[in-house]
Amino acid sequence: QQQQQQPKRGRTFSTGGGPFGGAGGGGAGGFYHPFGGMDSGMNVDSDDSDDGASAFFPHQRQYQQQSQPQQSQPQQPKSVVVTHKLPCTLEELASGFQRMFKISRKVQDAATGQVRADTNVLTVNGLPGWKAGTKITFADAGDQIVGAPRQDVQFVVEEKEHPRFKRVGDNLETEVVVPLVHALCGGAHLQVKSLGGDMLSLPSLPRVTPETTHTFPGQGMPRRDGSRGDLVVRFKVAFPDLSEAQKAAVRKVLPTS
């Protein structure tokens, strides 16, 4: 039997289905590879109030006052959170993504005490600009055993290492190698590929040092106001291997102090 999870109430943000494709897997009782399905909603929280989903839908904040149980009523066991990692590429965090998970769990009937195996489909719809540490929680999606705390299933976003880019806040940084001759004399015609795949031309600089940078505005990660961070290009000077004759010629040309 498959069930759809409803958003947990509190200081969370409910998001519906998204248009992005993707894959993944995970669950409370056991993890399986993803398969088709759609969940009605999910709860998203971020360690930083200006990051993640809270940065994109501030008008959807919901604050619910938790009522105190009456003394005459037994207090229900609190839920426990079963946490799983959700590794994401920079490309997914920049454009948004969708992951579907099939959860296996145990559910006990309160009347008969019978425990049955159950399956659940959870869908995580990632918004553009999410950061590492963003939490997505599905209330009561895990095991439900009488007398024991119910289980919430939570996914925590992790950012995969990228071969070319490093994320610094909303900005991206990358490195371009410059031959020594162009670092000293200028004249290099270099290009860098953005995260989205566009080829960006670097200006011809008269001189390049290890501290030289060039910024492409708006080529970084998405922000909550619809703008984007910047792409910062740093330069790495490539030093060639020289013969003794070449070294002697360089010594004659370059100052020693």
Side-chain angles (χ1 to χ4, degrees):
Q1 181 181 0
Q2 294 183 358
Q3 300 179 355
Q4 290 185 336
Q5 295 304 303
Q6 297 298 327
K8 180 180 178 181
R9 301 301 180 185
R11 188 175 181 276
T12 58
F13 305 89
S14 177
T15 61
F20 305 102
F31 277 117
Y32 297 86
H33 287 294
F35 67 108
M38 182 62 65
D39 187 79
S40 61
M42 64 185 182
N43 308 314
V44 183
D45 193 12
S46 176
D47 292 336
D48 186 341
S49 61
D50 291 331
D51 296 338
S54 60
F56 287 85
F57 297 105
H59 62 282
Q60 291 187 9
R61 284 204 177 108
Q62 301 176 10
Y63 297 88
Q64 179 176 357
Q65 298 295 330
Q66 302 294 335
S67 60
Q68 297 296 327
Q70 300 179 4
Q71 293 182 357
S72 60
Q73 297 178 350
Q75 188 173 1
Q76 296 296 324
K78 295 181 179 180
S79 62
V80 295
V81 179
V82 180
T83 302
H84 299 285
K85 298 177 181 179
L86 181 58
C88 301
T89 65
L90 267 181
E91 286 83 357
E92 289 175 320
L93 296 176
S95 63
F97 62 91
Q98 184 182 92
R99 300 278 186 88
M100 297 179 184
F101 302 87
K102 183 178 181 181
I103 305 298
S104 66
R105 62 176 185 169
K106 294 178 290 185
V107 178
Q108 186 176 25
D109 189 288
T112 64
Q114 182 179 2
V115 178
R116 60 181 173 85
D118 189 24
T119 59
N120 219 344
V121 179
L122 307 180
T123 302
V124 176
N125 295 294
L127 298 179
W130 273 8
K131 296 182 179 180
T134 300
K135 299 179 180 67
I136 307 96
T137 304
F138 295 87
D140 299 337
D143 293 344
Q144 298 182 11
I145 303 299
V146 176
R150 294 197 172 202
Q151 290 183 350
D152 296 346
V153 177
Q154 183 179 87
F155 299 95
V156 182
V157 172
E158 290 189 346
E159 183 182 299
K160 292 183 179 180
E161 184 177 354
H162 198 278
R164 294 189 299 117
F165 296 101
K166 178 182 178 181
R167 184 176 185 174
V168 181
D170 296 324
N171 294 338
L172 294 174
E173 293 186 357
T174 190
E175 189 177 69
V176 172
V177 177
V178 181
L180 177 61
V181 62
H182 293 307
L184 294 174
C185 307
H189 298 282
L190 303 173
Q191 288 185 320
V192 61
K193 182 182 289 188
S194 69
L195 185 65
D198 296 328
M199 296 304 299
L200 308 174
S201 297
L202 290 160
S204 180
L205 302 173
R207 181 170 174 266
V208 173
T209 71
E211 290 75 30
T212 302
T213 63
H214 181 76
T215 300
F216 291 99
Q219 291 292 336
M221 300 295 289
R223 295 193 181 112
R224 61 178 177 178
D225 60 0
S227 65
R228 301 180 73 97
D230 299 332
L231 172 59
V232 180
V233 181
R234 302 186 182 278
F235 298 90
K236 180 180 179 181
V237 179
F239 290 85
D241 294 327
L242 301 178
S243 64
E244 291 302 323
Q246 289 173 325
K247 292 179 182 179
V250 170
R251 291 190 184 98
K252 291 180 180 180
V253 174
L254 296 181
T256 57
S257 61

